[in-house]
């Protein structure tokens, strides 16, 4: 593990040899939609695709945990912080080029902005992503989408760098997309940009569809309190027998339950909202409670969509961390 001075030396080296923005002792709450998280030793925001490669080449020499983040809209950072480096792929990598029926987009592009740009060009296929507040890189990694669709359906290929900075193209087949999962999740990679195949449509109709999707989301989802979207994945088998995760949590009487500064949203029981400076443990406790109660009542285990980032950089579905932490604790309501 590196000490503070070693991280400062690394920051100096990155500032002199790359164009990245380098922040020492970064407050992760600022990079999390949940507004939860401790301090990361370093946060690095590369300035271009080439800059990502330069940053990775420097970091390859450094033995410390490294994570890749986008907009933090699907991540629970630990309140104890991150003893390592967060590489943030954001606004500086947000070029979009539309030609014919294809779009090439950089990974830091804001998803609603990309969906709008594509729709306004009279191209359809990704309208369902209009309300997803993350980056295209995060969306690809999570195979995110809505209305039972995933962005992988339209992906042709994604260019990714490994942690040494070597770049390779991954085809749709390589990505092996399934519901909210891609094979890229199991590799240590940075998505740089991607090509999507779209369908020619009517710009006015596409726009109207996106407005209606946004209106529906505004009606259903909590919007004024920090949250990370749906906490649990919808399992088709459970859906057929019980219903959505939100319905199941409501049915077992946990809607509105509060722990510390976190609360199961009284509006939508598959959302956890940060009502008052919540800690990561507050959220993990609620996740464990929701999951075990639903299992006791229905026999189904719900798995998380949200990923927890441990202080050592390990990133995994949040229910795993929750179980490890609270399995032996008394969690009765
Ligand atoms: C209010 C709200 C509503 C939401 N609604 C939806 C929805 O309808 N459908 C849906 O699918 N999701 C939804 N989400 C979840 C989230 O927005 C998506 O999963 C999003 O695509 C994640 O993008 P991000 O940039 O925030 O990724 P992050 O949360 O920062 O990261 C998510 C994962 O992607 C990885 N990652 C991010 N960028 C890169 C990159 N460039 N290269 C390699 N790995 C990368 C991270 O390591 C992490 O494993 C919602 C979230 C919120 C807050």
């Amino acid at each position: 593990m590196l000490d503070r001075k070693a991280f400062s030396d690394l920051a100096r080296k990155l500032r002199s040899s790359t164009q990245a923005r380098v922040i020492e002792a970064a407050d992760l709450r600022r990079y999390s939609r949940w507004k939860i998280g401790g301090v990361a030793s370093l946060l690095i925001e590369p300035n271009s695709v080439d800059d990502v490669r330069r940053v990775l080449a420097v970091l390859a020499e450094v033995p410390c945990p490294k994570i890749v983040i986008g907009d933090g809209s699907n991540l629970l950072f630990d309140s104890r912080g991150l003893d390592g480096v967060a590489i943030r792929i954001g606004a500086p990598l947000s070029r979009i080029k539309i030609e014919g029926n294809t779009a090439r987009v950089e990974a830091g592009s804001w998803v609603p902005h990309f969906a709008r740009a594509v729709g306004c060009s009279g191209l359809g296929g990704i309208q369902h992503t209009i309300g997803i507040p993350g980056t295209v890189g995060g969306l690809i990694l999570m195979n995110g989408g809505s209305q039972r669709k995933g962005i992988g359906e339209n992906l042709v290929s994604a260019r990714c760098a490994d942690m040494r900075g070597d770049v390779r193209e991954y085809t749709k087949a390589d990505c092996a997309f399934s519901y909210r999962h891609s094979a890229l999740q199991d590799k240590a990679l940075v998505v740089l940009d991607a090509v999507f195949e779209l369908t020619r449509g009517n710009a006015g109709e596409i726009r109207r569809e996106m407005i209606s999707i946004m209106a529906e989301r505004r009606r259903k989802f909590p919007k004024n309190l920090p949250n990370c979207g749906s906490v649990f994945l919808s399992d088709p088998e459970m859906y057929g027998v019980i219903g959505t995760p939100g319905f199941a949590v409501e049915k077992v009487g946990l809607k509105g339950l509060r722990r510390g500064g976190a609360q199961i949203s009284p509006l939508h029981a598959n959302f956890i909202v940060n009502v008052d400076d919540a800690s990561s443990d507050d959220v993990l406790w609620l996740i464990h409670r929701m999951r075990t109660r639903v299992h006791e009542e229905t026999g189904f285990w719900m798995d998380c969509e949200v990923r927890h980032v441990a202080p050592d950089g390990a990133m995994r579905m949040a229910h795993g961390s929750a179980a490890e932490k609270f399995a032996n604790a008394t969690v009765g309501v």
Side-chain angles (χ1 to χ4, degrees):
M1 199 58 68
L2 302 189
D3 61 17
R4 215 174 156 148
K5 177 171 179 312
F7 278 114
S8 283
D9 292 345
L10 176 59
R12 243 191 319 276
K13 187 166 182 191
L14 284 159
R15 285 189 191 111
S16 65
S17 55
T18 76
Q19 294 167 350
R21 195 161 79 106
V22 182
I23 302 166
E24 291 174 63
D27 180 353
L28 287 170
R29 283 177 302 184
R30 296 191 51 204
Y31 304 93
S32 143
R33 288 259 152 189
W34 246 325
K35 303 288 168 226
I36 293 173
V39 169
S41 312
L42 277 190
L43 188 134
I44 305 167
E45 226 173 348
N47 193 35
S48 65
V49 165
D50 284 344
D51 208 33
V52 174
R53 300 183 62 189
R54 283 191 288 268
V55 164
L56 291 171
V58 173
L59 291 179
E61 311 294 319
V62 185
C64 76
K66 294 149 205 164
I67 63 164
V68 185
I69 66 170
D71 213 56
S73 64
N74 213 23
L75 291 176
L76 175 63
F77 295 119
D78 202 284
S79 297
R80 290 169 295 167
L82 171 70
D83 295 324
V85 176
I87 305 162
R88 182 169 193 242
I89 305 299
L93 275 84
S94 55
R95 278 188 300 185
I96 300 170
K97 195 170 167 198
I98 298 171
E99 261 176 3
N101 285 5
T102 60
R104 179 178 282 277
V105 56
E106 288 185 341
S109 300
W110 173 241
V111 172
H113 180 67
F114 176 48
R116 226 173 285 125
V118 164
C120 289
S121 306
L123 293 171
I126 62 162
Q127 299 91 302
H128 63 99
T129 65
I130 183 68
I132 302 179
T135 65
V136 169
L139 194 73
I140 294 171
L141 208 92
M142 301 304 300
N143 190 19
S146 71
Q147 308 184 319
R148 290 168 292 284
K149 294 187 179 128
I151 192 66
E153 288 171 31
N154 290 85
L155 187 125
V156 177
S157 61
R159 245 176 10 125
C160 304
D162 66 20
M163 296 315 263
R164 289 184 311 277
D166 295 332
V167 176
R168 198 200 122 176
E169 187 137 312
Y170 288 78
T171 63
K172 181 180 186 164
D174 295 332
C175 294
F177 290 111
S178 57
Y179 181 67
R180 301 295 172 259
H181 186 268
S182 75
L184 304 180
Q185 280 177 18
D186 311 323
K187 306 179 196 295
L189 291 174
V190 182
V191 181
L192 301 171
D193 54 23
V195 176
F196 293 94
E197 176 82 49
L198 305 149
T199 45
R200 186 67 39 203
N202 175 291
E205 270 171 34
I206 293 169
R207 192 169 155 270
R208 276 191 290 281
E209 193 186 330
M210 291 197 292
I211 290 171
S212 131
I213 292 171
M214 286 306 292
E216 172 79 355
R217 290 174 71 96
R218 268 196 288 272
R219 192 178 57 75
K220 280 193 346 206
F221 300 155
K223 49 187 173 294
N224 296 327
L225 290 165
N227 68 78
C228 247
S230 297
V231 171
F232 290 101
L233 293 161
S234 185
D235 160 15
E237 202 189 331
M238 178 173 136
Y239 185 82
V241 182
I242 311 290
T244 61
F247 181 77
V249 172
E250 188 170 350
K251 202 157 168 259
V252 301
L254 295 183
K255 195 174 190 176
L257 178 68
R258 187 168 166 168
R259 164 82 170 197
Q263 184 183 30
I264 301 172
S265 169
L267 186 65
H268 191 309
N270 196 19
F271 280 58
I272 293 176
V273 287
N274 181 356
V275 285
D276 184 16
D277 199 15
S279 69
S280 52
D281 278 1
D282 293 339
V283 173
L284 290 175
W285 188 93
L286 284 177
I287 286 173
H288 189 62
R289 186 76 191 125
M290 292 154 94
R291 194 166 185 262
T292 47
R293 278 289 289 137
V294 167
H295 180 255
E296 281 161 19
E297 294 288 325
T298 70
F300 287 99
W301 285 114
M302 300 187 298
D303 286 348
C304 275
E305 181 172 335
V306 165
R307 312 185 91 199
H308 171 242
V309 184
D312 65 0
M315 210 187 268
R316 59 174 168 160
M317 287 171 165
H319 66 262
S321 304
E324 196 173 283
K325 206 160 230 268
F326 295 110
N328 297 320
T330 309
V331 293
V333 177

